[in-house]
Amino acid sequence: NPLTACLRRQPPWSDFPIILLTQREASPERSPATARLGEILGNVIFLERPFHPSTLTSAVRTAVRGRRRQYEARARLQELRESEERLRTALQAGELGSWTLGARDMTMTCSGSCRAHFGRGPNDPFDYDDLRRSVHPQERARVEAAIAHTLATGEAYALEHRTIWPDGSEHWSDMRARALTDNLGRVTQLVGVSSDIT
């Protein structure tokens, strides 16, 4: 019970490896209790006695290699968290909003700061149709053409344009984005920043 409690408290990146030595009659194939123990322990290798010492050595090396990969994954996750925090800080320092636009379904997600650049509250809905409607009518065709060009070619998107806020006031926005592509080179989404340059 203390061991299983400890295993349950593992962080998400961890899957502690266990090598369990069994007798022939206690192998998972022959013993439901041993099979259940395998389910409880998770990442477990059963070695049925008798076995050659090299078998145990090989199993331990495999378990240790797997554990090292888990620590490497933990380090990458930590680097990713730190990178995201630096990005958040940079966006806040530059008073920039962040947004993404899916190439296939034109689904748009925006940060609260991006919504504010269009006169919306941080939790107000704001999708691609809302963006289009907020662009000044005289500039709407130019904005749509620039987005279509970036989605078709993968070239960077950078455009300044007038926007009309819900209260009717006129503002200027600067929208910039880079295209992300799949392994076939097709654009999957735009990832960008916005700023109010009024």
Side-chain angles (χ1 to χ4, degrees), residues 2 10 12 71 74 81 97 100 109 120 122 128 143 151 164 172 198:
Q10 292 182 98
Y71 280 113
R74 180 186 68 172
R81 277 193 295 272
T100 61
T109 58
R120 270 61 172 193
Y128 181 63
V143 170
L151 291 173
I164 307 296
W172 280 87
T198 309

Side-chain angles (χ1 to χ4, degrees), residues 5 7 10 34 40 43 45 55 57 82 90 105 132 158-159 186:
L7 293 173
Q10 292 182 98
T34 304
I40 293 170
N43 186 8
I45 298 171
T55 303
T57 303
E82 291 170 358
D105 56 7
R132 286 177 57 250
L159 205 60
R186 297 174 299 204

Side-chain angles (χ1 to χ4, degrees), residues 2-193:
L3 175 60
T4 56
C6 178
L7 293 173
R8 282 193 211 103
R9 289 193 303 269
Q10 292 182 98
W13 59 267
S14 178
D15 190 15
F16 194 83
I18 296 170
I19 299 172
L20 193 59
L21 309 183
T22 68
Q23 300 291 350
R24 178 177 295 276
E25 63 274 5
S27 68
E29 296 80 16
R30 295 181 175 85
S31 169
T34 304
R36 185 173 178 281
L37 187 60
E39 293 173 10
I40 293 170
L41 295 176
N43 186 8
V44 61
I45 298 171
F46 291 97
L47 282 185
E48 185 179 296
R49 294 183 183 129
F51 53 80
H52 193 274
S54 63
T55 303
L56 177 60
T57 303
S58 175
V60 169
R61 283 190 180 131
T62 299
V64 170
R65 269 197 310 272
R67 188 62 174 167
R68 285 188 182 134
R69 282 195 293 272
Q70 292 172 26
Y71 280 113
E72 289 167 6
R74 180 186 68 172
R76 284 194 294 273
L77 288 171
Q78 182 63 32
E79 289 170 7
L80 182 60
R81 277 193 295 272
E82 291 170 358
S83 175
E84 288 174 347
E85 186 56 37
R86 285 193 298 271
L87 176 59
R88 242 188 319 276
T89 302
L91 289 172
Q92 290 170 353
E95 297 182 353
L96 299 172
S98 61
W99 58 276
T100 61
L101 179 66
R104 293 186 180 89
D105 56 7
M106 302 303 278
T107 299
M108 186 171 188
T109 58
C110 305
S111 67
S113 300
C114 180
R115 288 179 169 88
H117 297 154
F118 292 88
R120 270 61 172 193
N123 298 315
D124 290 347
F126 191 71
D127 59 19
Y128 181 63
D129 288 333
D130 294 321
L131 171 69
R132 286 177 57 250
R133 284 191 293 269
S134 71
V135 174
H136 193 285
Q138 294 177 357
E139 305 201 35
R140 196 168 292 151
R142 182 171 67 95
V143 170
E144 290 176 352
I147 289 175
H149 177 75
T150 298
L151 291 173
T153 65
E155 293 178 12
Y157 174 83
L159 205 60
E160 297 175 359
H161 57 79
R162 289 176 290 169
T163 62
I164 307 296
W165 283 18
D167 64 7
S169 59
E170 186 175 297
H171 297 259
W172 280 87
S173 293
D174 181 36
M175 303 280 285
R176 297 173 183 270
R178 297 282 180 181
L180 298 184
T181 57
D182 61 16
N183 55 4
L184 298 176
R186 297 174 299 204
V187 175
T188 57
Q189 65 177 336
L190 304 186
V191 178
V193 294

